[in-house]
Amino acid sequence: MSLTDEGFVYVATGEGYVREAQESVASLKAAMPMAAVCLITDQDIADPRPFDSVVVRRDVKRSPADKMLAVECPYARAVFIDTDTFIAGDLTPLFRVLDRFDLGLLPETKRGWDYELPGIPHAFAEYNSGVIAFRNDVRMKGFFADWGVRYAALLADPGLVNDQPALREAIWHSDVRVAPLPSEFHFLGNVPNYIMWDARLIHARGDRRKIAEATNRVLGPRAYVPDVGVIPGFHGRRGWLAETLRTCGGMLRLLNRAPTRAAELNPGQWSKGERRKRQDEIP
């Protein structure tokens, strides 16, 4: 399969998200110089670089529903990436997942247990939609369309703005084959997280490069806690002690900071007003 058959896609509506996508794709091109990358946007882009192609869509919602336009990218196998990401390594294995599966998604660390979907058990938890590996064929285009319909319904009642409940519902009612992605290929940097090997993609607000450096300082079983650092498993007395002391320093700095609003710690299913406020804050 040639490079033109595989590629990455960003969906960025609004100038702020386009700038954020440009920062993310710069890190992607640094890690994977030959990667094909498409931008889907409502903005007129004078210079498309470093994107290889740009698809302009005026029929956008300026909401999480826009990411469902990812199927408009020109690749048979695609990896959608949210704009608030930093790529730290080779993501080619994501395409190999599509040799056997229709979708590749990270199980959501927060599970999606802060709302109810009739008929769907808590044991079938959310997936995080910030990175989506997918076969871009007719069948999957239909799946994305169904996701959009379910999103509109859940937005209307009970008012869920986040797109992940609708994705959870769409997967539950479909026969698509979903591969669970490990945290190495989609590392959530704003919540406590576990990892074994090197984090190749950081998804977070804040200094994503710094999160990547902290997470990848040591390998092996370890936990990452935002604003604290890495809590390593035992892998030798000297290295373990050094990382533990560094973590203790992070905890002390955290204790000296002003309390963080609960909404920032666990946004859950944002209200419509909160979503608009957060969109306005994107640089």
Side-chain angles (χ1 to χ4, degrees), residues 13 58-66 69 151 279:
T13 54
R58 305 299 186 187
D59 56 334
V60 301
K61 305 293 186 182
R62 294 282 181 98
S63 79
D66 290 338
L69 293 172
Y151 174 78
Q279 284 182 316

Side-chain angles (χ1 to χ4, degrees), residues 184 187 193-199 212 214-224 230-233 235:
E184 284 79 1
F187 191 81
N193 210 342
Y194 170 84
I195 193 167
M196 181 71 184
W197 306 114
D198 56 315
T215 304
N216 292 336
R217 186 176 290 113
V218 295
L219 299 182
R222 61 202 187 278
Y224 173 82
V230 172
I231 303 174
H235 52 86

Side-chain angles (χ1 to χ4, degrees), residues 1-14:
M1 181 171 285
S2 66
L3 282 175
T4 55
D5 292 319
E6 299 176 345
F8 298 90
V9 54
Y10 291 81
V11 178
T13 54

Side-chain angles (χ1 to χ4, degrees), residues 31-91:
M32 303 177 64
M34 300 302 294
V37 189
C38 172
L39 172 67
I40 299 175
T41 183
D42 62 341
Q43 303 292 299
D44 293 316
I45 308 296
D47 183 358
R49 294 175 297 179
F51 295 100
D52 297 284
S53 63
V54 175
V55 176
V56 177
R57 293 289 298 258
R58 305 299 186 187
D59 56 334
V60 301
K61 305 293 186 182
R62 294 282 181 98
S63 79
D66 290 338
K67 69 176 62 177
M68 300 161 204
L69 293 172
V71 293
E72 299 301 321
C73 72
Y75 312 121
R77 297 184 181 191
V79 175
F80 164 82
I81 301 177
D82 258 351
T83 59
D84 55 335
T85 50
F86 174 80
I87 287 71
D90 182 20
L91 301 179

Side-chain angles (χ1 to χ4, degrees), residues 45-266:
I45 308 296
D47 183 358
R49 294 175 297 179
F51 295 100
D52 297 284
S53 63
V54 175
V55 176
V56 177
R57 293 289 298 258
R58 305 299 186 187
D59 56 334
V60 301
K61 305 293 186 182
R62 294 282 181 98
S63 79
D66 290 338
K67 69 176 62 177
M68 300 161 204
L69 293 172
V71 293
E72 299 301 321
C73 72
Y75 312 121
R77 297 184 181 191
V79 175
F80 164 82
I81 301 177
D82 258 351
T83 59
D84 55 335
T85 50
F86 174 80
I87 287 71
D90 182 20
L91 301 179
T92 303
L94 291 175
F95 295 107
R96 302 289 68 77
V97 166
L98 298 175
D99 291 341
R100 298 283 296 175
F101 294 89
D102 303 305
L103 281 174
L105 294 159
L106 174 79
E108 173 58 64
T109 57
K110 295 191 291 293
R111 308 291 186 248
W113 289 0
D114 55 341
Y115 62 90
E116 296 290 338
L117 289 178
I120 300 180
H122 286 310
F124 186 79
E126 269 188 11
Y127 288 96
N128 191 291
S129 62
V131 175
I132 307 173
F134 64 98
R135 293 183 180 182
N136 196 13
D137 54 22
V138 173
R139 180 166 173 265
M140 290 308 298
K141 288 181 187 295
F143 171 81
F144 272 71
D146 181 58
W147 178 16
V149 170
R150 294 179 185 277
Y151 174 78
L154 291 178
L155 179 63
D157 183 18
L160 300 181
V161 177
N162 193 310
D163 58 277
Q164 290 176 185
L167 176 60
R168 178 185 176 196
E169 187 177 66
I171 293 173
W172 175 262
H173 290 287
S174 77
D175 59 356
V176 298
R177 295 175 299 174
V178 182
L181 299 181
S183 57
E184 284 79 1
F185 288 91
H186 187 180
F187 191 81
L188 302 177
N190 291 144
V191 295
N193 210 342
Y194 170 84
I195 193 167
M196 181 71 184
W197 306 114
D198 56 315
R200 302 188 185 190
L201 184 150
I202 304 297
H203 182 190
R205 292 290 174 197
D207 192 335
R208 292 177 281 273
R209 184 184 295 273
K210 184 177 180 181
I211 294 172
E213 291 171 352
T215 304
N216 292 336
R217 186 176 290 113
V218 295
L219 299 182
R222 61 202 187 278
Y224 173 82
V225 180
D227 300 314
V228 173
V230 172
I231 303 174
F234 187 80
H235 52 86
R237 185 177 302 171
R238 181 177 299 178
W240 181 84
L241 181 59
E243 289 298 321
T244 300
L245 290 174
R246 185 179 287 111
T247 299
C248 289
M251 293 178 68
L252 290 173
R253 289 191 297 273
L254 182 62
L255 289 172
N256 288 328
R257 290 175 53 183
T260 305
R261 291 184 302 138
E264 293 175 343
L265 286 172
N266 183 15

